[in-house]
Amino acid sequence: MSEETLSNLLNETRRFPPPAELAATANVTEEAYRQAAADRLGFWAEQAARLHWEQPWDEVLDWSDRPFARWFTGGRLNVAYNCVDRHVEAGHGEQIAIHFEGEPGDSRSVSYAELQREVCRAANALTELGVVAGDRVAIYMPMIPETVVAMLACARIGAPHSVVFAAFSAAALRSRIDDAEAKVLITADGYHRRGTVVDLKPQADEAVDGAESIEKVLVVRRTGQQVPWQDGRDLWWHELTDRQSDQHTAEAFDSEHPLFILYTSGTTGRPKGILHTTGGYLTQVSYTHHAVFDLKPDTDVYWCTADVGWVTGHSYIVYGPLSNRATQVLYEGTPDTPDRGRFWHNVAKYKVSILYTAPTAIRTFMKWGGDIPAKSDLSSLRILGSVGEPINPEAWIWYREHIGGGRCPIVDTWWQTETGAMMIAPLPGVAATKPGSAMRPLPGISAQVVTNAGVPVPDGGGGLLVLDQPWPSMLRGVWGDPERFRDTYWSRFPEQGYYFAGDGAKKDADGDLWLLGRVDDIMLVSGHNISTTEVESALVSHPAVAEAAVVGAKDETTGQRIVSFVILRGGREEDPGLDAELKAHVTKEIGPIARPRQIQFVAELPKTRSGKIMRRLLKDVAEERSLGDTTTLTDASVMDLIAAKLPHAA
Ligand code: ATP
Ligand code: MG
């Protein structure tokens, strides 16, 4: 940004206080903020004590080698023991850990006792293959229980995993295998998606062909299709694990032992291999899951719809929920198979009470219409979560009304692969939520909105979001690249020592935070900094619009011009008056400064596999450049369609 602050444009005044019953029984109350403010490290020590430590820590935080933090130094624990065994030992072995719902409709429920046996067998199997603590294991798997088992087995023996989205290409998998020098790859024959069987093994083969570090490939049988096979290298998961003992003694690892490497979504550029470690990570994912979802392990049924291949799946399908003894749903497929009501059939079938999904999904459901969820019994729901992108106020309200029946609080959770766990989010029993606001930093977390010079902006102002205190689940680096770690996150405010997240935010009059998207995406139009998020939210608030992406393209007179790409809800595609109507609508909602110069109606937007809009590619198109890194794009052909439609004359 070349201006000191960001223009504060949209004005949202709706407020939703917590339901009285939830407020009265909430796991975490306002008191937690007071306690954490009085003694931040003491607060985190108390949260760490929610876990089982084989050996207690000496020091809560060692920040002497900043930006490389060490949390709970000298402490030792086993992540898998904390997520599985201790619940069985406490008498909860019969409780269901995972209700697996396959896309074709097959289902299977796994209790904590069964999960323990499976994880032990898998840990013994990996050990038989020669995997020892510190070795890396790549996991290229669909959304099936074995994926969770594989991750926990790795954690159990101290072998950091690197999970790669099943929908990524062989080349993407290969570069991640090489970067981490993984010794073993765990994959599957295939999976079910959109009513068809998708191959996985051929891509896995292509990826490992010539990969020097890979010694063995373990293959889970999911679909039962024929697969290519290389004797000596490939092993069936079931053959290897079936003959293992279901007993395994978990060894405790140092609090700073590496737990996993995970690559960022690639929304802003080449993905970074983010490293997370053991004690601090588990402490914060466990606490935030307990606090923000108010999980009651005896009665709640939790469902996070993310793919396990991105950080939300790691922290809020595997480690957070299981450490809290959640009963959860794991769903293999897409929301529109066999019909557009699949998510709501799943909610009704398992009586899901806590649902965690992404704005991209919510906008899709809006486009499909409220009559679809209305056909299912959603009365079991009590809390709704959102993550991944800023949620447009209209999408927030739609989610609350059509999914939450007007009674469920919405927790909009801001965090990143790098932060490991939620950082900014309302507590459902405390906050009077505001549509589109992630509210304030969680207890024990400290964030600021600052100017380019690093000066905090007053309430009502906007600027750059920074984290000014270390947090337990913070990244410990970029794998193999300490320079990239310093450059990317710590070089913007070297004097203040802030972690710069890359996102813009504004503070409202109450000091609550509104995330405004990537700083790189913020537009400078005739001297005003305008966030893409706010213009998109204004467009989405028009009844004809389902989804919008906005970019600033170079312009000789105004610096940048606002170019928008709009997906309609259906019905008005042919209406020649709509272009002018939408421009007028943005002018009314925000002001003439934010009026898009161009509106392009499109059928799809370029998105990462995790569902985020890739504005940098739209900007490449708008400025007639060749496209940047597209390796994490869901469907590269979307860009050809968009490029073909955009008139460059403007
Ligand atoms: P890359 O870093 O490779 O460009 P990425 O930033 O998309 O990819 P993630 O770690 O998956 O990778 O996403 C984190 C980002 O997602 C945040 O920096 C923020 O921009 C956005 N985000 C996540 N949750 C929210 C939210 N609740 N509100 C607003 N933005 C969010
Ligand atoms: Mg990022």
Side-chain angles (χ1 to χ4, degrees), residues 565 600-602 621 637-648:
F565 300 82
Q600 191 60 54
F601 297 106
V602 294
V621 170
S637 66
V638 167
M639 289 314 300
D640 302 335
L641 292 174
I642 292 173
K645 280 188 97 175
L646 194 77
H648 288 296

Side-chain angles (χ1 to χ4, degrees), residues 264 268 272 416 418 501 518:
T264 57
T268 58
K272 302 167 277 277
Q416 310 177 297
E418 295 89 338
R518 319 297 176 141

Side-chain angles (χ1 to χ4, degrees), residues 264-269 272 416-418 488-489 499 501-503 518 612:
T264 57
S265 306
T267 316
T268 58
K272 302 167 277 277
Q416 310 177 297
T417 310
E418 295 89 338
T488 311
Y489 305 106
Y499 168 92
D503 288 352
R518 319 297 176 141
K612 296 167 201 269

Side-chain angles (χ1 to χ4, degrees), residues 263-272 310-312 359 386-391 412-419 424 436 438 489 501-503 515-518 608 610 612 616 632:
Y263 293 79
T264 57
S265 306
T267 316
T268 58
R270 185 168 59 90
K272 302 167 277 277
W310 69 301
V311 73
T312 304
S386 174
V387 61
E389 291 180 289
I391 179 165
D412 175 16
T413 62
W414 180 89
W415 58 293
Q416 310 177 297
T417 310
E418 295 89 338
T419 69
I424 304 173
Y489 305 106
D503 288 352
L515 274 301
L516 295 179
R518 319 297 176 141
T608 61
S610 55
K612 296 167 201 269
R616 64 182 167 86
T632 66

Side-chain angles (χ1 to χ4, degrees), residues 292-477:
V292 175
F293 291 121
D294 190 47
L295 182 93
K296 307 284 197 265
D298 295 327
T299 48
D300 275 317
V301 178
Y302 168 83
W303 181 23
C304 168
T305 72
D307 193 287
V308 80
W310 69 301
V311 73
T312 304
H314 283 57
S315 300
Y316 298 104
I317 292 177
V318 182
Y319 297 114
L322 295 177
S323 69
N324 289 329
R325 187 170 48 90
T327 293
Q328 69 177 316
V329 174
L330 185 76
Y331 173 54
E332 178 183 37
T334 56
D336 53 355
T337 307
D339 61 65
R340 291 175 165 181
R342 184 58 182 272
F343 270 27
W344 320 121
H345 305 323
N346 288 353
V347 168
K349 175 171 175 183
Y350 296 104
K351 300 200 168 23
V352 171
S353 55
I354 303 168
L355 178 70
Y356 193 24
T357 193
T360 181
I362 298 164
R363 291 186 302 251
T364 301
F365 300 138
M366 273 171 80
K367 186 166 63 184
W368 291 346
D371 50 324
I372 294 172
K375 289 186 201 129
S376 294
D377 177 6
L378 305 182
S379 61
S380 55
L381 288 169
R382 67 179 194 97
I383 293 175
L384 303 176
S386 174
V387 61
E389 291 180 289
I391 179 165
N392 318 101
E394 277 326 299
W396 195 104
I397 292 286
W398 189 93
Y399 193 25
R400 185 180 159 90
E401 284 175 3
H402 292 272
I403 308 303
R407 67 181 185 277
C408 304
I410 295 180
V411 287
D412 175 16
T413 62
W414 180 89
W415 58 293
Q416 310 177 297
T417 310
E418 295 89 338
T419 69
M422 296 169 185
M423 301 294 283
I424 304 173
L427 292 178
V430 176
T433 52
K434 307 172 181 179
S437 170
M439 306 299 290
R440 57 178 158 157
L442 286 164
I445 300 299
S446 182
Q448 301 277 348
V449 181
V450 301
T451 65
N452 274 341
V455 180
V457 304
D459 288 351
L464 314 178
L465 180 72
V466 297
L467 302 168
D468 58 342
Q469 296 289 342
W471 62 99
S473 63
M474 69 196 291
L475 74 168
R476 301 303 200 262

